[in-house]
Amino acid sequence: MTVLVTPKALTDHKVRDFSMLIDGKWEPANSPPIERIAPGHGVVVSRFPAGTRADAERAIAAARKAFDQGSWPRMTASERSAVLLKAADLISARSEELALLDAIEAGKPISQVRGEIAGSVDIWRYAAALARDLHGESYNTLGDGTLGVVLREAIGVVSIITPWNFPFLIVAQKLPFALAAGCTAVVKPSELTSGSTVILGEILLEAGVPAGVVNIVTGTGPEVGAVMTSHPDVDMVSFTGSTGVGRQTMVSAAQTLKKVSLELGGKNPQIVFPDADLDSFIDAAVFGAYFNAGECCNAGSRLILHKSIASDVVQRIADLARHVKVGDPLDPATQVGAIITPQHLDKINAYVAGAQAGGAKLAYGGEPLDFGMGQFMGPTILDAVQPEMAVAREEVFGPVLSVLTFETTAQAIGIANAIDYGLSAGVWSRDFDTCLTIGRKVRAGTVWMNTFMDGASELPFGGYKQSGLGRELGRHAVEDYTETKTLNMHIGGRTNWWMPQNEKLA
Ligand code: NDP
């Protein structure tokens, strides 16, 4: 057992008592708060108010009033854009504080989180740019008597519900676009990692977002989230989380026919052909599977390797995985941090044990790592996995790579598509035709070719099948938060329906 020494940044960290933001006012906990134990250090680092149904209802009422009567939806796009740009600057100025919170509450490596905060700043700036380009259409081609104008109007009050694995980045994929369109919002972060989202509330008020436009309610999904998905005054729900809760969200939102946008789980394949640049691929395989401890919807958790290269590739991945630095999330050299909760570690272990019981071979890792505090698991490789096994079909959400093999391209596509998820996929080959064939035939929202898990604010992101509904990011991201309205205008005298044209009433 290597005992982690509590890092100075953590011993200096005073446990923070966060408040909720409702109608522009900060509301501290008025009942026992939710205590967050840092997954990498085993000590309490944050406390969040345990929001109630009544808190969620008040937040929705504030957002409704701000939308129906407030200034935000009525500002010019240029004014809203300026506020979003100011918010981006303030996020950047407080990036170290935000990174520290996400690192200790989620157990993520600090170097990685710094990148996520910088990426979030870029998204806020991108949304600010899109705000000014939101426009409808006009039709001057419908004959002399008609002019058609298609308006884009803000959809209204948006409920935003986020998970724990990328606390600050995921809210950045939703909120700035909703604000750019002129919407108001109620945001519920995961009860495990709410700190950085609450700080975002401070930033937005300072940037000039009016009271009631963004409300942040901490608490649990069944208590707070359930109100946010069912309340009649909410017009749209934007949810990122598990497929199971996403399904519940849709059922709940269906009662009042809200628009729903869902970013859900994935079981993403990397398909590798013998002619691939294997040096590049080996690194991408290790990165894809172990980045964020595999607690990543985009994790490349399934390798589909051509049979002729499989044993060599597995050996090379294991050799590289040995060098991945697992440990203290606050050590800048750490590449893989802690597992989010002890219960989640048990779930990961159960998948690894179940796969071995079913005939898969443990090629590397497979055991939790004991650092004397928190909970950790190192890179794990399961070889000889069969497509029907749970570990090949279900999201483990841990640092576990499943290896399957294929002989023909059609077989590889069949294995890739034979599951319920369709978030992303990778293909590795130097052959243009092979890459494009896989790119077109694999049913996934993103297909990487000779790379993995790259992204940009300009590129839409989301899933096929049970990986979600709708797309985030990209140039249409703001439009998602709008309604379309047709103005059908008549020019000149109208032809009556019940009498011949030009006939006068007697
Ligand atoms: P969950 O689905 O458990 O939770 C997501 C959010 O939903 C949390 O804020 C949670 O609250 C809330 N919630 C729980 N129950 C309800 C309910 N009945 N009504 C409304 N809201 C509810 O996911 P995790 O937080 O465990 O996150 C991991 C999952 O997220 C993985 O499956 C992963 O694949 C997916 N994910 C998908 C991404 C994508 O873009 N496709 C990106 C990142 C993650 P609380 O937990 O606080 O009680």
Side-chain angles (χ1 to χ4, degrees):
M1 179 181 87
T2 315
V3 177
L4 276 184
V5 178
T6 311
K8 184 158 177 341
L10 192 59
T11 46
D12 287 352
H13 176 82
K14 195 169 154 298
V15 178
R16 290 182 71 156
D17 286 291
F18 289 95
S19 297
M20 298 187 288
L21 178 61
I22 300 178
D23 206 8
K25 292 178 206 71
W26 290 104
E27 301 194 4
N30 59 12
S31 60
I34 295 169
E35 292 201 318
R36 179 59 181 144
I37 297 175
H41 307 97
V43 294
V44 173
V45 284
S46 303
R47 295 191 199 98
F48 313 117
T52 60
R53 292 185 64 85
D55 293 326
E57 283 164 1
R58 283 187 306 113
I60 292 166
R64 187 78 256 165
K65 189 164 162 235
F67 185 77
D68 292 342
Q69 301 167 28
S71 58
W72 185 255
R74 288 157 194 90
M75 283 180 188
T76 64
S78 153
E79 288 167 328
R80 278 198 296 270
S81 176
V83 173
L84 298 183
L85 287 172
K86 176 94 190 287
D89 290 345
L90 293 170
I91 293 168
S92 189
R94 292 179 74 172
S95 57
E96 200 49 35
E97 177 189 6
L98 291 162
L100 179 67
L101 277 173
D102 275 6
I104 57 179
E105 289 177 8
K108 296 158 75 81
I110 185 79
S111 312
Q112 177 193 315
V113 195
R114 286 180 179 132
E116 288 168 26
I117 307 293
S120 304
V121 170
D122 185 65
I123 300 174
W124 278 84
R125 294 204 169 117
Y126 182 60
L130 290 183
R132 302 189 65 169
D133 194 41
L134 178 63
H135 57 81
E137 299 155 15
S138 64
Y139 289 88
N140 195 28
T141 50
L142 308 177
D144 281 352
T146 302
L147 178 63
V149 172
V150 182
L151 300 181
R152 287 279 180 182
E153 292 185 343
I155 196 166
V157 174
V158 183
S159 284
I160 292 179
I161 299 176
T162 57
W164 44 259
N165 57 347
F166 292 90
F168 199 77
L169 186 63
I170 289 176
V171 74
Q173 291 180 193
K174 302 174 184 294
L175 184 57
F177 301 99
L179 291 175
C183 295
T184 61
V186 178
V187 182
K188 191 202 92 62
S190 163
E191 70 189 273
L192 303 174
T193 56
S194 305
S196 60
T197 302
V198 177
I199 299 292
L200 179 62
E202 293 179 12
I203 288 172
L204 294 177
L205 290 182
E206 191 182 340
V209 172
V213 171
V214 175
N215 305 273
I216 298 166
V217 185
T218 55
T220 67
E223 183 75 18
V224 174
V227 179
M228 292 168 62
T229 58
S230 59
H231 198 288
D233 281 345
V234 170
D235 299 291
M236 174 175 171
V237 181
S238 177
F239 172 90
T240 295
S242 60
T243 292
V245 178
R247 200 173 287 123
Q248 276 180 40
T249 296
M250 213 168 158
V251 168
S252 174
Q255 306 314 306
T256 49
L257 288 176
K258 301 182 196 318
K259 183 171 180 180
V260 177
S261 154
L262 302 172
E263 299 295 345
L264 308 174
K267 186 78 193 178
N268 314 297
Q270 295 217 58
I271 303 173
V272 190
F273 289 83
D275 66 340
D277 171 355
L278 288 181
D279 291 342
S280 289
F281 165 69
I282 302 296
D283 183 73
V286 171
F287 166 66
Y290 307 130
F291 169 76
N292 213 50
E295 294 171 331
C296 182
C297 52
N298 256 335
S301 52
R302 281 194 298 162
L303 292 190
I304 306 179
L305 305 178
H306 192 274
K307 216 168 191 161
S308 64
I309 53 169
S311 62
D312 175 48
V313 164
V314 170
Q315 187 55 52
R316 290 182 63 184
I317 293 172
D319 290 345
L320 188 59
R322 243 175 270 286
H323 298 285
V324 171
K325 189 165 178 333
V326 185
D328 179 4
L330 294 182
D331 179 344
T334 294
Q335 291 171 295
V336 171
I339 300 298
I340 190 77
T341 57
Q343 298 77 0
H344 189 58
L345 181 61
D346 291 345
K347 187 180 146 197
I348 298 169
N349 278 324
Y351 270 111
V352 174
Q356 289 179 88
K361 303 267 173 293
L362 189 65
Y364 185 68
E367 293 289 331
L369 303 176
D370 186 356
F371 292 137
M373 59 173 85
Q375 58 279 336
F376 295 84
M377 175 134 184
T380 295
I381 304 172
L382 290 167
D383 198 1
V385 170
Q386 298 306 316
E388 60 285 356
M389 289 180 180
V391 79
R393 314 179 69 81
E394 295 170 16
E395 194 178 41
V396 175
F397 232 52
V400 178
L401 184 60
S402 294
V403 181
L404 300 95
T405 56
F406 72 94
E407 286 176 274
T408 65
T409 303
Q411 228 178 6
I413 294 166
I415 296 170
N417 285 340
I419 59 162
D420 294 333
Y421 292 115
L423 188 59
S424 59
V427 53
W428 292 81
S429 166
R430 287 192 175 97
D431 186 90
F432 183 75
D433 294 351
T434 304
C435 286
L436 284 187
T437 301
I438 299 288
R440 295 172 81 170
K441 294 268 160 68
V442 169
R443 303 199 66 222
T446 299
V447 181
W448 287 287
M449 298 179 183
N450 297 317
T451 186
F452 200 75
M453 235 193 300
D454 283 341
S457 305
E458 287 81 352
L459 298 177
F461 172 66
Y464 279 43
K465 301 195 274 185
Q466 294 186 32
S467 286
L469 263 190
R471 295 291 178 270
E472 297 191 324
L473 303 176
R475 70 192 179 92
H476 297 295
V478 177
E479 288 175 7
D480 252 14
Y481 295 94
T482 64
E483 278 280 15
T484 302
K485 180 181 280 175
T486 298
L487 298 183
N488 188 328
M489 297 177 269
H490 191 74
I491 302 161
R494 185 174 172 275
T495 306
N496 288 327
W497 174 59
W498 58 274
M499 65 165 57
Q501 195 170 358
N502 300 327
E503 188 178 320
K504 295 272 182 287
L505 281 171

